[in-house]
Amino acid sequence: MAGPAYAQPAPAAAPWAAPQNVLQLSASGQVEVQQDLLRLVLSTSREGADAASVQQQLREALDAALKAVKTTAQPGQMDVRTGNFNVHPRYDRDGKISGWQGSTDLALEGRDFPRITAAAARAGTLAITNVSFGLSRETRARVESEAQAQAIERFRARAAEIAKAFGFAGYTLREVNVDGGNIPMPVVAMARATSMKAEPVPVEPGTTTVQVTVSGSVQAH
């Protein structure tokens, strides 16, 4: 008669071995480029005894400005966007409503600087309250690609250099992260006014630096 059967214990799993000769490193690519995007914000404010009259004044001012600037609007060259439109009460010392005030904004943005500044000069009911420069979508994409290519090439060269310095023949890429970062948009603030002269405001863009960083780990062998 056969004896009782017993379950055999499973073989112990091999202990996990941490990868050897792993190097952590990073490299960056930078490209300086002329800013080719202009954004002007036009604003106005009104005050009155009741909310309806303030709202009506703001609407009239905005409508007049839109009518003046939209005649030369062109996608990419000068885009027109309405912004904030708000009306809120003012309170006296006793906490009672003593009047109403409000403001409205209109933004002109694009690559055609003369077109934008000329349009802003025609918007007599609104005044320029903010000027900012940046990069157009096309320029940003092109420059980011250039900076990324630089960063990748520098990452590869540095990985090979460090591996060689430690006596290894080469390396294998383990993981990599690409960080495009943020490109700041310089802003020039301008005093708020109720009207402006029919003369285009002079604008002069600067340059900005686009940086892409590549970081990760390689295994030398």
Side-chain angles (χ1 to χ4, degrees), residues 186-220:
V187 175
V188 180
M190 302 188 69
R192 184 175 295 273
T194 56
S195 62
M196 63 178 297
K197 296 180 180 179
E199 291 287 340
V201 62
V203 294
E204 185 63 36
T207 60
T208 189
T209 300
V210 178
Q211 176 173 305
V212 174
T213 299
V214 174
S215 60
S217 62
V218 300
Q219 185 166 10

PDB file of all heavy atoms in Angstrom, residues 186-220:
ATOM      1  N   PRO A 186       7.432  88.329 -20.245  1.00  0.00           N
ATOM      2  CA  PRO A 186       7.697  89.613 -19.606  1.00  0.00           C
ATOM      3  C   PRO A 186       6.526  90.565 -19.774  1.00  0.00           C
ATOM      4  O   PRO A 186       5.895  90.638 -20.820  1.00  0.00           O
ATOM      5  CB  PRO A 186       8.934  90.124 -20.353  1.00  0.00           C
ATOM      6  CG  PRO A 186       9.566  88.890 -20.915  1.00  0.00           C
ATOM      7  CD  PRO A 186       8.421  87.976 -21.237  1.00  0.00           C
ATOM      8  N   VAL A 187       6.245  91.287 -18.712  1.00  0.00           N
ATOM      9  CA  VAL A 187       5.092  92.184 -18.698  1.00  0.00           C
ATOM     10  C   VAL A 187       5.546  93.590 -18.391  1.00  0.00           C
ATOM     11  O   VAL A 187       6.376  93.811 -17.513  1.00  0.00           O
ATOM     12  CB  VAL A 187       4.064  91.732 -17.645  1.00  0.00           C
ATOM     13  CG1 VAL A 187       2.934  92.740 -17.548  1.00  0.00           C
ATOM     14  CG2 VAL A 187       3.519  90.363 -18.001  1.00  0.00           C
ATOM     15  N   VAL A 188       5.003  94.538 -19.124  1.00  0.00           N
ATOM     16  CA  VAL A 188       5.224  95.948 -18.843  1.00  0.00           C
ATOM     17  C   VAL A 188       3.895  96.541 -18.440  1.00  0.00           C
ATOM     18  O   VAL A 188       2.971  96.634 -19.253  1.00  0.00           O
ATOM     19  CB  VAL A 188       5.783  96.687 -20.078  1.00  0.00           C
ATOM     20  CG1 VAL A 188       5.998  98.152 -19.761  1.00  0.00           C
ATOM     21  CG2 VAL A 188       7.084  96.042 -20.545  1.00  0.00           C
ATOM     22  N   ALA A 189       3.757  96.921 -17.184  1.00  0.00           N
ATOM     23  CA  ALA A 189       2.491  97.486 -16.710  1.00  0.00           C
ATOM     24  C   ALA A 189       2.395  98.942 -17.120  1.00  0.00           C
ATOM     25  O   ALA A 189       3.380  99.662 -17.146  1.00  0.00           O
ATOM     26  CB  ALA A 189       2.407  97.360 -15.195  1.00  0.00           C
ATOM     27  N   MET A 190       1.177  99.365 -17.436  1.00  0.00           N
ATOM     28  CA  MET A 190       0.960 100.757 -17.824  1.00  0.00           C
ATOM     29  C   MET A 190      -0.159 101.338 -16.977  1.00  0.00           C
ATOM     30  O   MET A 190      -1.058 100.639 -16.524  1.00  0.00           O
ATOM     31  CB  MET A 190       0.591 100.848 -19.310  1.00  0.00           C
ATOM     32  CG  MET A 190       1.634 100.254 -20.242  1.00  0.00           C
ATOM     33  SD  MET A 190       1.292 100.590 -21.976  1.00  0.00           S
ATOM     34  CE  MET A 190       1.575 102.349 -22.044  1.00  0.00           C
ATOM     35  N   ALA A 191      -0.082 102.638 -16.755  1.00  0.00           N
ATOM     36  CA  ALA A 191      -1.065 103.292 -15.895  1.00  0.00           C
ATOM     37  C   ALA A 191      -2.454 103.213 -16.508  1.00  0.00           C
ATOM     38  O   ALA A 191      -2.625 103.331 -17.721  1.00  0.00           O
ATOM     39  CB  ALA A 191      -0.677 104.756 -15.694  1.00  0.00           C
ATOM     40  N   ARG A 192      -3.459 103.013 -15.661  1.00  0.00           N
ATOM     41  CA  ARG A 192      -4.839 102.961 -16.120  1.00  0.00           C
ATOM     42  C   ARG A 192      -5.321 104.372 -16.479  1.00  0.00           C
ATOM     43  O   ARG A 192      -5.028 105.339 -15.799  1.00  0.00           O
ATOM     44  CB  ARG A 192      -5.732 102.363 -15.021  1.00  0.00           C
ATOM     45  CG  ARG A 192      -7.185 102.189 -15.444  1.00  0.00           C
ATOM     46  CD  ARG A 192      -7.964 101.486 -14.343  1.00  0.00           C
ATOM     47  NE  ARG A 192      -7.485 100.131 -14.156  1.00  0.00           N
ATOM     48  CZ  ARG A 192      -7.925  99.090 -14.843  1.00  0.00           C
ATOM     49  NH1 ARG A 192      -8.859  99.256 -15.759  1.00  0.00           N
ATOM     50  NH2 ARG A 192      -7.451  97.879 -14.636  1.00  0.00           N
ATOM     51  N   ALA A 193      -6.053 104.464 -17.575  1.00  0.00           N
ATOM     52  CA  ALA A 193      -6.581 105.752 -18.006  1.00  0.00           C
ATOM     53  C   ALA A 193      -7.945 105.533 -18.623  1.00  0.00           C
ATOM     54  O   ALA A 193      -8.344 104.408 -18.914  1.00  0.00           O
ATOM     55  CB  ALA A 193      -5.632 106.408 -19.012  1.00  0.00           C
ATOM     56  N   THR A 194      -8.690 106.616 -18.832  1.00  0.00           N
ATOM     57  CA  THR A 194     -10.024 106.499 -19.406  1.00  0.00           C
ATOM     58  C   THR A 194     -10.010 106.661 -20.916  1.00  0.00           C
ATOM     59  O   THR A 194     -10.975 106.344 -21.586  1.00  0.00           O
ATOM     60  CB  THR A 194     -10.958 107.554 -18.796  1.00  0.00           C
ATOM     61  OG1 THR A 194     -10.386 108.853 -19.004  1.00  0.00           O
ATOM     62  CG2 THR A 194     -11.119 107.316 -17.310  1.00  0.00           C
ATOM     63  N   SER A 195      -8.927 107.175 -21.461  1.00  0.00           N
ATOM     64  CA  SER A 195      -8.825 107.335 -22.909  1.00  0.00           C
ATOM     65  C   SER A 195      -7.353 107.377 -23.284  1.00  0.00           C
ATOM     66  O   SER A 195      -6.482 107.488 -22.439  1.00  0.00           O
ATOM     67  CB  SER A 195      -9.519 108.624 -23.378  1.00  0.00           C
ATOM     68  OG  SER A 195      -8.889 109.758 -22.801  1.00  0.00           O
ATOM     69  N   MET A 196      -7.075 107.303 -24.579  1.00  0.00           N
ATOM     70  CA  MET A 196      -5.687 107.358 -25.020  1.00  0.00           C
ATOM     71  C   MET A 196      -5.607 108.144 -26.317  1.00  0.00           C
ATOM     72  O   MET A 196      -6.579 108.294 -27.051  1.00  0.00           O
ATOM     73  CB  MET A 196      -5.122 105.955 -25.228  1.00  0.00           C
ATOM     74  CG  MET A 196      -5.802 105.163 -26.308  1.00  0.00           C
ATOM     75  SD  MET A 196      -5.060 103.536 -26.531  1.00  0.00           S
ATOM     76  CE  MET A 196      -3.409 103.994 -27.052  1.00  0.00           C
ATOM     77  N   LYS A 197      -4.407 108.653 -26.610  1.00  0.00           N
ATOM     78  CA  LYS A 197      -4.202 109.401 -27.837  1.00  0.00           C
ATOM     79  C   LYS A 197      -4.285 108.455 -29.038  1.00  0.00           C
ATOM     80  O   LYS A 197      -4.020 107.277 -28.939  1.00  0.00           O
ATOM     81  CB  LYS A 197      -2.834 110.087 -27.810  1.00  0.00           C
ATOM     82  CG  LYS A 197      -2.685 111.136 -26.718  1.00  0.00           C
ATOM     83  CD  LYS A 197      -1.304 111.761 -26.767  1.00  0.00           C
ATOM     84  CE  LYS A 197      -1.145 112.804 -25.679  1.00  0.00           C
ATOM     85  NZ  LYS A 197       0.209 113.409 -25.698  1.00  0.00           N
ATOM     86  N   ALA A 198      -4.620 109.020 -30.192  1.00  0.00           N
ATOM     87  CA  ALA A 198      -4.706 108.214 -31.403  1.00  0.00           C
ATOM     88  C   ALA A 198      -3.331 108.032 -32.025  1.00  0.00           C
ATOM     89  O   ALA A 198      -3.129 108.215 -33.220  1.00  0.00           O
ATOM     90  CB  ALA A 198      -5.659 108.874 -32.393  1.00  0.00           C
ATOM     91  N   GLU A 199      -2.343 107.711 -31.212  1.00  0.00           N
ATOM     92  CA  GLU A 199      -0.985 107.439 -31.664  1.00  0.00           C
ATOM     93  C   GLU A 199      -0.599 106.041 -31.205  1.00  0.00           C
ATOM     94  O   GLU A 199      -0.748 105.717 -30.031  1.00  0.00           O
ATOM     95  CB  GLU A 199      -0.005 108.467 -31.078  1.00  0.00           C
ATOM     96  CG  GLU A 199      -0.156 109.876 -31.614  1.00  0.00           C
ATOM     97  CD  GLU A 199       0.355 110.004 -33.040  1.00  0.00           C
ATOM     98  OE1 GLU A 199       1.151 109.137 -33.454  1.00  0.00           O
ATOM     99  OE2 GLU A 199      -0.045 110.949 -33.732  1.00  0.00           O
ATOM    100  N   PRO A 200      -0.094 105.205 -32.095  1.00  0.00           N
ATOM    101  CA  PRO A 200       0.313 103.857 -31.676  1.00  0.00           C
ATOM    102  C   PRO A 200       1.398 103.923 -30.598  1.00  0.00           C
ATOM    103  O   PRO A 200       2.338 104.709 -30.695  1.00  0.00           O
ATOM    104  CB  PRO A 200       0.853 103.235 -32.975  1.00  0.00           C
ATOM    105  CG  PRO A 200       0.200 104.013 -34.068  1.00  0.00           C
ATOM    106  CD  PRO A 200       0.064 105.404 -33.544  1.00  0.00           C
ATOM    107  N   VAL A 201       1.260 103.103 -29.582  1.00  0.00           N
ATOM    108  CA  VAL A 201       2.250 103.065 -28.517  1.00  0.00           C
ATOM    109  C   VAL A 201       3.489 102.326 -29.018  1.00  0.00           C
ATOM    110  O   VAL A 201       3.375 101.303 -29.696  1.00  0.00           O
ATOM    111  CB  VAL A 201       1.676 102.385 -27.254  1.00  0.00           C
ATOM    112  CG1 VAL A 201       1.296 100.933 -27.541  1.00  0.00           C
ATOM    113  CG2 VAL A 201       2.658 102.455 -26.097  1.00  0.00           C
ATOM    114  N   PRO A 202       4.690 102.862 -28.774  1.00  0.00           N
ATOM    115  CA  PRO A 202       5.893 102.158 -29.231  1.00  0.00           C
ATOM    116  C   PRO A 202       6.144 100.912 -28.390  1.00  0.00           C
ATOM    117  O   PRO A 202       6.018 100.937 -27.170  1.00  0.00           O
ATOM    118  CB  PRO A 202       7.007 103.199 -29.026  1.00  0.00           C
ATOM    119  CG  PRO A 202       6.498 104.092 -27.945  1.00  0.00           C
ATOM    120  CD  PRO A 202       5.012 104.145 -28.129  1.00  0.00           C
ATOM    121  N   VAL A 203       6.479  99.814 -29.041  1.00  0.00           N
ATOM    122  CA  VAL A 203       6.782  98.567 -28.329  1.00  0.00           C
ATOM    123  C   VAL A 203       8.084  98.010 -28.873  1.00  0.00           C
ATOM    124  O   VAL A 203       8.390  98.164 -30.052  1.00  0.00           O
ATOM    125  CB  VAL A 203       5.657  97.525 -28.477  1.00  0.00           C
ATOM    126  CG1 VAL A 203       4.392  97.995 -27.791  1.00  0.00           C
ATOM    127  CG2 VAL A 203       5.384  97.208 -29.934  1.00  0.00           C
ATOM    128  N   GLU A 204       8.862  97.393 -28.021  1.00  0.00           N
ATOM    129  CA  GLU A 204      10.136  96.819 -28.412  1.00  0.00           C
ATOM    130  C   GLU A 204      10.318  95.488 -27.705  1.00  0.00           C
ATOM    131  O   GLU A 204      10.566  95.440 -26.505  1.00  0.00           O
ATOM    132  CB  GLU A 204      11.291  97.757 -28.051  1.00  0.00           C
ATOM    133  CG  GLU A 204      12.660  97.285 -28.539  1.00  0.00           C
ATOM    134  CD  GLU A 204      12.738  97.221 -30.054  1.00  0.00           C
ATOM    135  OE1 GLU A 204      12.137  98.086 -30.721  1.00  0.00           O
ATOM    136  OE2 GLU A 204      13.397  96.301 -30.557  1.00  0.00           O
ATOM    137  N   PRO A 205      10.190  94.364 -28.431  1.00  0.00           N
ATOM    138  CA  PRO A 205      10.345  93.059 -27.793  1.00  0.00           C
ATOM    139  C   PRO A 205      11.803  92.773 -27.460  1.00  0.00           C
ATOM    140  O   PRO A 205      12.721  93.375 -28.034  1.00  0.00           O
ATOM    141  CB  PRO A 205       9.828  92.086 -28.858  1.00  0.00           C
ATOM    142  CG  PRO A 205      10.142  92.792 -30.145  1.00  0.00           C
ATOM    143  CD  PRO A 205       9.942  94.258 -29.874  1.00  0.00           C
ATOM    144  N   GLY A 206      12.011  91.863 -26.566  1.00  0.00           N
ATOM    145  CA  GLY A 206      13.347  91.420 -26.226  1.00  0.00           C
ATOM    146  C   GLY A 206      13.551  89.986 -26.665  1.00  0.00           C
ATOM    147  O   GLY A 206      12.894  89.501 -27.577  1.00  0.00           O
ATOM    148  N   THR A 207      14.462  89.321 -26.019  1.00  0.00           N
ATOM    149  CA  THR A 207      14.703  87.910 -26.306  1.00  0.00           C
ATOM    150  C   THR A 207      14.346  87.088 -25.076  1.00  0.00           C
ATOM    151  O   THR A 207      14.283  87.604 -23.959  1.00  0.00           O
ATOM    152  CB  THR A 207      16.176  87.651 -26.672  1.00  0.00           C
ATOM    153  OG1 THR A 207      17.008  88.047 -25.572  1.00  0.00           O
ATOM    154  CG2 THR A 207      16.559  88.426 -27.907  1.00  0.00           C
ATOM    155  N   THR A 208      14.093  85.818 -25.291  1.00  0.00           N
ATOM    156  CA  THR A 208      13.818  84.908 -24.190  1.00  0.00           C
ATOM    157  C   THR A 208      14.588  83.615 -24.437  1.00  0.00           C
ATOM    158  O   THR A 208      14.917  83.289 -25.577  1.00  0.00           O
ATOM    159  CB  THR A 208      12.313  84.614 -24.063  1.00  0.00           C
ATOM    160  OG1 THR A 208      12.054  83.907 -22.862  1.00  0.00           O
ATOM    161  CG2 THR A 208      11.804  83.794 -25.233  1.00  0.00           C
ATOM    162  N   THR A 209      14.906  82.932 -23.368  1.00  0.00           N
ATOM    163  CA  THR A 209      15.669  81.685 -23.467  1.00  0.00           C
ATOM    164  C   THR A 209      14.755  80.502 -23.194  1.00  0.00           C
ATOM    165  O   THR A 209      14.092  80.437 -22.164  1.00  0.00           O
ATOM    166  CB  THR A 209      16.838  81.675 -22.469  1.00  0.00           C
ATOM    167  OG1 THR A 209      17.714  82.770 -22.754  1.00  0.00           O
ATOM    168  CG2 THR A 209      17.619  80.367 -22.569  1.00  0.00           C
ATOM    169  N   VAL A 210      14.714  79.586 -24.141  1.00  0.00           N
ATOM    170  CA  VAL A 210      13.930  78.360 -24.002  1.00  0.00           C
ATOM    171  C   VAL A 210      14.877  77.250 -23.558  1.00  0.00           C
ATOM    172  O   VAL A 210      15.905  77.016 -24.202  1.00  0.00           O
ATOM    173  CB  VAL A 210      13.255  77.985 -25.325  1.00  0.00           C
ATOM    174  CG1 VAL A 210      12.477  76.685 -25.183  1.00  0.00           C
ATOM    175  CG2 VAL A 210      12.330  79.108 -25.787  1.00  0.00           C
ATOM    176  N   GLN A 211      14.545  76.601 -22.466  1.00  0.00           N
ATOM    177  CA  GLN A 211      15.405  75.545 -21.923  1.00  0.00           C
ATOM    178  C   GLN A 211      14.640  74.236 -21.804  1.00  0.00           C
ATOM    179  O   GLN A 211      13.499  74.213 -21.350  1.00  0.00           O
ATOM    180  CB  GLN A 211      15.951  75.950 -20.553  1.00  0.00           C
ATOM    181  CG  GLN A 211      16.783  74.851 -19.891  1.00  0.00           C
ATOM    182  CD  GLN A 211      17.456  75.315 -18.622  1.00  0.00           C
ATOM    183  OE1 GLN A 211      18.184  76.301 -18.615  1.00  0.00           O
ATOM    184  NE2 GLN A 211      17.213  74.618 -17.525  1.00  0.00           N
ATOM    185  N   VAL A 212      15.268  73.169 -22.223  1.00  0.00           N
ATOM    186  CA  VAL A 212      14.722  71.818 -22.071  1.00  0.00           C
ATOM    187  C   VAL A 212      15.764  70.986 -21.330  1.00  0.00           C
ATOM    188  O   VAL A 212      16.953  71.022 -21.671  1.00  0.00           O
ATOM    189  CB  VAL A 212      14.414  71.176 -23.440  1.00  0.00           C
ATOM    190  CG1 VAL A 212      13.993  69.716 -23.258  1.00  0.00           C
ATOM    191  CG2 VAL A 212      13.324  71.956 -24.161  1.00  0.00           C
ATOM    192  N   THR A 213      15.323  70.267 -20.301  1.00  0.00           N
ATOM    193  CA  THR A 213      16.225  69.433 -19.503  1.00  0.00           C
ATOM    194  C   THR A 213      15.863  67.969 -19.684  1.00  0.00           C
ATOM    195  O   THR A 213      14.684  67.590 -19.590  1.00  0.00           O
ATOM    196  CB  THR A 213      16.137  69.805 -18.013  1.00  0.00           C
ATOM    197  OG1 THR A 213      16.538  71.174 -17.842  1.00  0.00           O
ATOM    198  CG2 THR A 213      17.056  68.924 -17.166  1.00  0.00           C
ATOM    199  N   VAL A 214      16.870  67.156 -19.945  1.00  0.00           N
ATOM    200  CA  VAL A 214      16.708  65.720 -20.052  1.00  0.00           C
ATOM    201  C   VAL A 214      17.419  65.090 -18.852  1.00  0.00           C
ATOM    202  O   VAL A 214      18.608  65.341 -18.633  1.00  0.00           O
ATOM    203  CB  VAL A 214      17.303  65.171 -21.359  1.00  0.00           C
ATOM    204  CG1 VAL A 214      17.250  63.645 -21.389  1.00  0.00           C
ATOM    205  CG2 VAL A 214      16.551  65.731 -22.549  1.00  0.00           C
ATOM    206  N   SER A 215      16.698  64.305 -18.075  1.00  0.00           N
ATOM    207  CA  SER A 215      17.281  63.632 -16.909  1.00  0.00           C
ATOM    208  C   SER A 215      16.869  62.170 -16.928  1.00  0.00           C
ATOM    209  O   SER A 215      15.865  61.792 -17.526  1.00  0.00           O
ATOM    210  CB  SER A 215      16.811  64.298 -15.615  1.00  0.00           C
ATOM    211  OG  SER A 215      15.397  64.239 -15.506  1.00  0.00           O
ATOM    212  N   GLY A 216      17.656  61.349 -16.267  1.00  0.00           N
ATOM    213  CA  GLY A 216      17.323  59.929 -16.230  1.00  0.00           C
ATOM    214  C   GLY A 216      18.473  59.102 -15.700  1.00  0.00           C
ATOM    215  O   GLY A 216      19.377  59.620 -15.044  1.00  0.00           O
ATOM    216  N   SER A 217      18.432  57.823 -15.988  1.00  0.00           N
ATOM    217  CA  SER A 217      19.461  56.915 -15.502  1.00  0.00           C
ATOM    218  C   SER A 217      19.919  55.994 -16.623  1.00  0.00           C
ATOM    219  O   SER A 217      19.155  55.659 -17.533  1.00  0.00           O
ATOM    220  CB  SER A 217      18.939  56.086 -14.329  1.00  0.00           C
ATOM    221  OG  SER A 217      17.842  55.269 -14.729  1.00  0.00           O
ATOM    222  N   VAL A 218      21.193  55.609 -16.574  1.00  0.00           N
ATOM    223  CA  VAL A 218      21.769  54.659 -17.525  1.00  0.00           C
ATOM    224  C   VAL A 218      22.510  53.593 -16.734  1.00  0.00           C
ATOM    225  O   VAL A 218      22.942  53.817 -15.602  1.00  0.00           O
ATOM    226  CB  VAL A 218      22.723  55.366 -18.511  1.00  0.00           C
ATOM    227  CG1 VAL A 218      21.997  56.436 -19.311  1.00  0.00           C
ATOM    228  CG2 VAL A 218      23.910  55.999 -17.767  1.00  0.00           C
ATOM    229  N   GLN A 219      22.655  52.453 -17.355  1.00  0.00           N
ATOM    230  CA  GLN A 219      23.395  51.351 -16.710  1.00  0.00           C
ATOM    231  C   GLN A 219      24.666  51.119 -17.519  1.00  0.00           C
ATOM    232  O   GLN A 219      24.626  50.769 -18.699  1.00  0.00           O
ATOM    233  CB  GLN A 219      22.561  50.082 -16.654  1.00  0.00           C
ATOM    234  CG  GLN A 219      23.232  48.956 -15.888  1.00  0.00           C
ATOM    235  CD  GLN A 219      22.256  47.832 -15.549  1.00  0.00           C
ATOM    236  OE1 GLN A 219      21.137  47.821 -16.048  1.00  0.00           O
ATOM    237  NE2 GLN A 219      22.685  46.904 -14.710  1.00  0.00           N
ATOM    238  N   ALA A 220      25.790  51.365 -16.871  1.00  0.00           N
ATOM    239  CA  ALA A 220      27.067  51.207 -17.537  1.00  0.00           C
ATOM    240  C   ALA A 220      27.419  49.717 -17.636  1.00  0.00           C
ATOM    241  O   ALA A 220      27.070  48.916 -16.775  1.00  0.00           O
ATOM    242  CB  ALA A 220      28.146  51.936 -16.758  1.00  0.00           C
TER     243      ALA A 220
END
